[in-house]
Amino acid sequence: MKLELQIKMNPSLYIRDPEQSELGKNIIKHSIQLIHDNGFEAFTFKKLAESIGTTEAGVYRYFENKHKLLVYIISWYWGWIQFQLNYQTNNIKDPIVKLKKVIKLLSTNVEDDITTGHVDESQLHQILISEGSKAYLTNHVGKDNKQQFFQPYKDLCNAIGDIILECNPKYKYPHSLASTIFEMAHLQNFFMNHLPSLTDFSKSKNESEIIKYLEDLVFKSIRE
Amino acid sequence: MKLELQIKMNPSLYIRDPEQSELGKNIIKHSIQLIHDNGFEAFTFKKLAESIGTTEAGVYRYFENKHKLLVYIISWYWGWIQFQLNYQTNNIKDPIVKLKKVIKLLSTNVEDDITTGHVDESQLHQILISEGSKAYLTNHVGKDNKQQFFQPYKDLCNAIGDIILECNPKYKYPHSLASTIFEMAHLQNFFMNHLPSLTDFSKSKNESEIIKYLEDLVFKSIRE
DNA sequence: TATTTATGATAGTATTACTATTATTTAAAA
DNA sequence: TTTTAAATAATAGTAATACTATCATAAATA
């Protein structure tokens, strides 16, 4: 038996579960590829269908619209990060070491994980940097939230918040600091590569400087 | 003579300068209104034209497309914040007091400023919270950057970075911290109102808790 | 007064974001 | 094994969006 990591997805995100068919998996795979290559604005179901070798109507049978598809893949990433977080901090006792792992996990462009066949985690990380906030920065965020679309993100911030509280139980802003780490791990990366004068990192360098910045920010914030 | 605050805009953002005509001013005014009310995705030049009482073609004579119009109004905000920053910190010597002013300025939903007739700064602040990052989170950020569209944002982060360095000349990440303050002042506000469990602030409260969080974050970060 | 310039009115195109229909293939149930 | 159901492919069509083009008219300027 082949072991494949399955991230549990919110069924309201799709019409037909893309994990359950080849076409479905292809939709996810090629969506990630296309959004990574050309950005979400340029992404259309027609282009996606062409790239897979199916028709537009075929894609619409899986996803209502391209926004839900974006939320689906970003949701998948949130779930995957949650899994990695649990896995990587599993046997660690020192919360400071745990928090460092988290910062590194969020900031680092991971290599593609073989246990998830149709998802390229490296491209997905890039998508989160450029498109991640578009999942919630919409007019219908309230509706989407009612449908629990952002639950995996909340769970993640809760988990990170718990580690922060383990480091310092008196720290007042564990959730805000968690969402700040998550968002800034991505945004400082975007700035580093595209608008470097908004950062103190040299363009096209690797993520180690961002990690140092975030560690400095976080550990100074939570020390008593 | 009536004194009106004029923010110097990058001419590449527009085809015809909207400050120079009634129609132009109306385009800005109604754009802010419509984007504020319905979000940028739902915003079209047709709706804008209808709301002004002109035609689509009329709007296209001023702006090439809706993205440039968005960058225009966000650019205007960056310039306005820069002006407010200079004005409000003008005679202050203590850099810590200055930095507190900056945090408050970025976090607070200002009242509409009478010196800028056709711009509602309060709505503009809301637009920055929900749409601000869409100005640069595009596929063509490189092109836009070459045309200096983000210069006012860079100038702003430089100015804030300078204040940070006044507080602690040895602090290593003045620009990153500046962009973090700017972005988080907006994003934590968005989260507070729409996804409150990503923060430690209670929904619909005013911005004072965000200010406290940011002050805590910043001053712990830069203390020696 | 002549002439440039801005606006208004109208038309038209390519693309996007869908919905609907029917035929065909594949897979599951009887 | 046949029947039936479900998934997909192929095609068509619509409303809205994001533009471009043209021409007449009004207002400002030379």
Side-chain angles (χ1 to χ4, degrees), chain A residues 134 137 175-176 180 200 213, chain B residues 134 137 175-176 180 200 213:
Chain A
K134 294 172 191 170
L137 289 180
H175 299 95
S176 285
T180 300
D200 303 280
Y213 164 64
Chain B
K134 295 173 191 170
L137 288 180
H175 300 94
S176 285
T180 299
D200 304 281
Y213 164 63

Side-chain angles (χ1 to χ4, degrees), chain A residues 38 134 136-137 139 154 173-176 179-180 188 190 197-201 213 217 220-221 223, chain B residues 38 134 136-137 139 154 173-176 179-180 188 190 194 197-201 213 217 220-221 223:
Chain A
N38 314 310
K134 294 172 191 170
Y136 52 77
L137 289 180
N139 222 28
K154 293 175 188 176
Y173 312 103
H175 299 95
S176 285
S179 56
T180 300
Q188 292 290 319
F190 185 88
S197 51
L198 299 178
T199 73
D200 303 280
F201 318 129
Y213 164 64
L217 188 79
K220 278 180 180 166
S221 280
R223 76 176 172 194
Chain B
N38 314 311
K134 295 173 191 170
Y136 52 77
L137 288 180
N139 222 28
K154 294 175 188 175
Y173 312 103
H175 300 94
S176 285
S179 55
T180 299
Q188 292 291 320
F190 184 88
H194 299 106
S197 50
L198 299 178
T199 73
D200 304 281
F201 319 129
Y213 164 63
L217 187 80
K220 279 180 182 167
S221 281
R223 77 176 170 193

Side-chain angles (χ1 to χ4, degrees), chain A residues 82-142:
Chain A
Q82 180 76 259
F83 173 84
Q84 294 290 325
L85 188 157
N86 295 340
Y87 187 82
Q88 288 187 30
T89 63
N90 188 25
N91 286 310
I92 298 170
K93 260 149 225 154
D94 185 352
I96 293 181
V97 176
K98 275 196 211 174
L99 199 45
K100 281 188 181 170
K101 285 246 177 209
V102 170
I103 290 171
K104 195 174 177 184
L105 175 63
L106 292 175
S107 307
T108 305
N109 198 351
V110 289
E111 289 138 63
D112 188 12
D113 187 330
I114 42 151
T115 59
T116 55
H118 55 295
V119 178
D120 182 331
E121 286 82 8
S122 169
Q123 291 187 330
L124 204 41
H125 182 246
Q126 292 296 124
I127 289 177
L128 254 101
I129 289 169
S130 305
E131 324 287 348
S133 61
K134 294 172 191 170
Y136 52 77
L137 289 180
T138 66
N139 222 28
H140 45 87
V141 58

Side-chain angles (χ1 to χ4, degrees), chain A residues 58-70:
Chain A
V59 179
Y60 277 105
R61 256 180 254 116
Y62 282 82
F63 289 96
E64 209 183 314
N65 54 53
K66 71 172 188 164
H67 182 257
K68 283 202 176 170
L69 178 43
L70 179 73

Side-chain angles (χ1 to χ4, degrees), chain B residues 163-176:
Chain B
I163 299 173
I164 290 169
L165 287 176
E166 278 184 68
C167 294
N168 175 4
K170 285 183 194 147
Y171 182 68
K172 275 177 163 172
Y173 312 103
H175 300 94
S176 285

